[in-house]
Amino acid sequence: MFKKLAASLGALAMAFGVFFGSQAYAYTQFGPASWRTEDGKYELTLTTTSTNNDVTVVVWDLYRVSYSTGKAVPYWTENLKVRLCNASTGNCTSFKNLTDPLGHAAFGADFTNMKPGTFYVDIRDPDPGYYYKGLIRATVQNVY
């Protein structure tokens, strides 16, 4: 009798742990995708919800390309800036620096408590004679 009760309670605890515990780590990824600045297009499109509303944008495999020569060179920079623009309203967040805090050549920025909706990722570079290109991914989650 005691073994059946213990087994039932253990199974119930595991079911609750899987059902409720997985909610704390739920996330959605958008990308990876190729992107480039100064082409008149947004770099990526993502969707937030009322529960998953924290966005992390990461870019890597960066190249700086000269308009005059077409030469592309691998590049590591924290001069790129990113913002999110709401697809419905056109309103945008302020630009944030894409930083590489761990030194892994993956530059990222976080946006928290975004309203539910579809957003475009927009990256700006500071160099008029160059454009940047690389890979991008965004993760939308709710950080507890």
Side-chain angles (χ1 to χ4, degrees):
M1 174 79 171
F2 182 70
K3 287 182 182 182
K4 284 184 180 181
L5 180 61
S8 296
L9 288 176
L12 186 63
M14 285 178 57
F16 275 105
V18 168
F19 182 72
F20 291 109
S22 64
Q23 297 296 320
Y25 302 105
Y27 68 92
T28 304
Q29 282 191 353
F30 298 87
S34 297
W35 63 275
R36 76 168 261 196
T37 59
E38 302 179 14
D39 62 356
K41 300 176 186 174
Y42 289 108
E43 281 62 54
L44 192 67
T45 302
L46 60 91
T47 304
T48 59
T49 66
S50 60
T51 54
N52 288 348
N53 55 6
D54 295 330
V55 178
T56 299
V57 176
V58 178
V59 298
W60 70 98
D61 197 25
L62 290 176
Y63 289 85
R64 186 172 86 163
V65 183
S66 169
Y67 278 117
S68 62
T69 66
K71 183 177 180 183
V73 294
Y75 213 73
W76 294 268
T77 183
E78 292 188 357
N79 293 327
L80 298 175
K81 296 182 183 294
V82 63
R83 68 180 175 176
L84 302 180
C85 296
N86 187 294
S88 297
T89 66
N91 294 334
C92 299
T93 65
S94 58
F95 277 101
K96 292 187 173 193
N97 290 327
L98 284 165
T99 61
D100 183 17
L102 300 177
H104 295 276
F107 300 86
D110 295 320
F111 298 86
T112 57
N113 297 319
M114 299 297 296
K115 291 183 179 179
T118 300
F119 292 88
Y120 301 125
V121 179
D122 184 29
I123 298 176
R124 177 175 72 181
D125 74 68
D127 300 322
Y130 299 88
Y131 67 88
Y132 289 79
K133 66 179 186 174
L135 296 173
I136 187 169
R137 174 182 290 134
T139 304
V140 178
Q141 60 190 351
N142 191 349
V143 180
Y144 289 92

